[in-house]
Amino acid sequence: MSTSTQKPTTPRRRPTGRSIALLGPAFVAAIAYVDPGNVAANLTAGAKYGYLLIWVLVLANAMAVLVQYLSAKLGLVSGRSLPEMLGQRLRKNNRRAFWLQAEMMAIATDVAEVIGGAIALNLLFNIPLFLGGLITGCVSMVILTIQSRRGQRTFEFVVMGLLAIITIGFLTGLAFTDVSGSEAVAGLVPRFEGTETVLLAASMLGATVMPHAIYLHSALARDRHGHIKPGPRLQRLLKVTRWDVVVALIIAGGVNIGMLLLAASALRGVPGTDTIDGAHAAIENSLGPGVAVVFAIGLLASGLASTSVGCAAGAEIMHGLLAIRIPVITRRIVTLIPALIVLGLGVDPTLALVLSQVVLSLCIPFAIIPLVRMTSDPELMGDARNAPFTTVAAWIAAGLIVALNVALLVLTVTG
């Protein structure tokens, strides 16, 4: 009997109706791509170097689409998150060492996000940074409580609402400035101009391809849809998941590119615009107080949403690698301490944000390399394993990330 006549065919179409109701996990993961670390890295890059590093954001966002889809696919097909898979496959000492670097990544993430919320509260209400960080942490506890008590779907709606606020807040200024189309196109050509641009590129990469979002997305897909057996339902969910990832990250990527374009067109050469508060002041002077307020509101929404998502990711990492599950509120309190210490010591908040993103960039290979290996494994993934082209593209992405990190270290050490 010919098997070709037995294979069902499904027309390619956009998800509608019931399929749209399945969207959401990628929008939660996408919050990691528009956190305060992105604001610091993108504004600094645009204010100092104009349109030079647009190509980094475009490339990083393309990588993010691929990586986040692979993470969600792993959760759907295996029924386990990436940290759980690593926890099962690594030996005891290796598992603890892996958790230690992942925990450092989670702390760096939280520092960036709490500082961003503190800066926003300072800009809006002149609240001292330390107190602003404390308020940001407390509000994030409320958001995490929604997830614990009302379920993931309600949490997704809250996060998607904050994402809408972030998008409006960070892109409004573009309507009041003139972006050079020719310079923006020229910025798509990959190049650097010295060590600092490599540092900024690594920072932008760390802020765009976020390792904690890679770990978390597999858990979000698992918790939302469960362990799906091979068959038509799994294929349908994988198609919906692709749309979920593409739409969510197009929004996040557009916000990132918009921030850099705003800084390149309105803030370049203006003294002090390499800091968030300085950029806010320059936006107020050149584009008006209304635009500056909307920008600060977007920054606040970014800090609140991203620190909640980051804390959830840290809890999943600890559970998967160490088989330890502590209340997410307890974890929120503990991980808030390093950020409050940074704020209490008076460290330049924008510099702390940029450096935190460099730490994240250095941690990306530890997440992406196991992810590519697992999703390419036919024994684990079955028919859902990566196609050869997908595997090659994922390894190229991983190689580019590692190469950029090596260049960063070499150029920084040699000066």
Side-chain angles (χ1 to χ4, degrees), residues 276-291:
I276 292 179
D277 52 346
H280 177 267
I283 290 173
E284 184 174 11
N285 290 333
S286 60
L287 303 179
V291 174

Side-chain angles (χ1 to χ4, degrees), residues 26 61 65 241-251:
N61 207 66
V65 170
T241 297
R242 282 194 288 271
W243 277 102
D244 194 25
V245 172
V246 169
V247 173
L249 291 185
I250 283 177
I251 294 172

Side-chain angles (χ1 to χ4, degrees), residues 26-365:
F27 285 82
V28 175
I31 286 294
Y33 294 84
V34 288
D35 75 350
N38 292 86
V39 180
N42 295 334
L43 291 181
T44 300
K48 283 192 171 183
Y49 297 99
Y51 303 91
L52 177 71
L53 296 177
I54 289 177
W55 67 271
V56 176
L57 291 179
V58 174
L59 181 62
N61 207 66
M63 291 186 207
V65 170
L66 174 60
V67 170
Q68 292 303 142
Y69 172 67
L70 295 184
S71 176
K73 182 170 73 169
L74 177 66
L76 284 174
V77 175
S78 71
R80 295 186 292 272
S81 69
L82 177 58
E84 286 177 326
M85 295 296 299
L86 289 166
Q88 292 177 3
R89 296 187 173 203
L90 294 175
R91 295 181 179 179
K92 185 176 182 180
N93 290 337
N94 292 340
R95 186 170 68 249
R96 289 178 176 176
F98 196 98
W99 170 79
L100 184 61
Q101 68 81 27
E103 196 65 43
M104 290 176 59
M105 173 274 302
I107 291 172
T109 300
D110 209 48
V111 167
E113 293 157 351
V114 172
I115 288 176
I119 293 174
L121 289 171
N122 178 262
L123 295 175
L124 287 169
F125 307 111
N126 201 30
I127 295 175
L129 289 176
F130 183 86
L131 179 58
L134 189 60
I135 293 173
T136 300
C138 290
V139 175
S140 70
M141 292 181 195
V142 176
I143 298 174
L144 289 167
T145 300
I146 292 174
Q147 181 188 29
S148 301
R149 296 185 178 180
R150 301 296 297 274
Q152 181 173 325
R153 189 57 174 160
T154 302
F155 179 65
E156 288 173 2
F157 281 129
V158 171
V159 171
M160 290 167 74
L162 290 171
L163 178 60
I165 295 173
I166 293 166
T167 303
I168 294 171
F170 291 151
L171 297 186
T172 297
L174 287 176
F176 300 90
T177 186
D178 295 324
V179 175
S180 171
S182 60
E183 290 188 67
V185 171
L188 296 173
V189 179
R191 64 193 188 281
F192 296 107
E193 289 183 2
T195 304
E196 187 174 10
T197 60
V198 179
L199 175 65
L200 279 172
S203 179
M204 294 161 69
L205 182 66
T208 304
V209 185
M210 296 288 275
H212 76 281
I214 299 173
Y215 294 120
L216 179 63
H217 201 166
S218 55
L220 292 170
R222 174 205 63 197
D223 294 343
R224 178 70 183 281
H225 304 296
H227 180 197
I228 310 301
K229 295 181 180 180
R233 184 165 181 259
L234 176 60
Q235 293 304 315
R236 175 170 172 258
L237 282 176
L238 289 174
K239 289 181 180 179
V240 172
T241 297
R242 282 194 288 271
W243 277 102
D244 194 25
V245 172
V246 169
V247 173
L249 291 185
I250 283 177
I251 294 172
V255 171
N256 282 322
I257 293 173
M259 280 190 284
L260 190 146
L261 293 176
L262 177 65
S265 59
L267 307 180
R268 190 174 185 183
V270 179
T273 51
D274 55 347
T275 65
I276 292 179
D277 52 346
H280 177 267
I283 290 173
E284 184 174 11
N285 290 333
S286 60
L287 303 179
V291 174
V293 168
V294 172
F295 176 86
I297 292 173
L299 178 63
L300 179 59
S302 171
L304 294 175
S306 57
T307 192
S308 303
V309 172
C311 190
E316 180 60 36
I317 290 168
M318 177 176 284
H319 171 68
L321 289 169
L322 301 184
I324 297 174
R325 189 179 292 280
I326 62 175
V328 71
I329 301 301
T330 302
R331 182 178 174 85
R332 166 71 283 173
I333 295 172
V334 173
T335 56
L336 184 61
I337 294 174
L340 294 179
I341 291 175
V342 171
L343 291 171
L345 292 175
V347 176
D348 176 34
T350 301
L351 177 61
L353 283 173
V354 172
L355 292 179
S356 72
Q357 304 311 298
V358 175
V359 173
L360 298 183
S361 183
L362 296 174
C363 292
I364 292 171

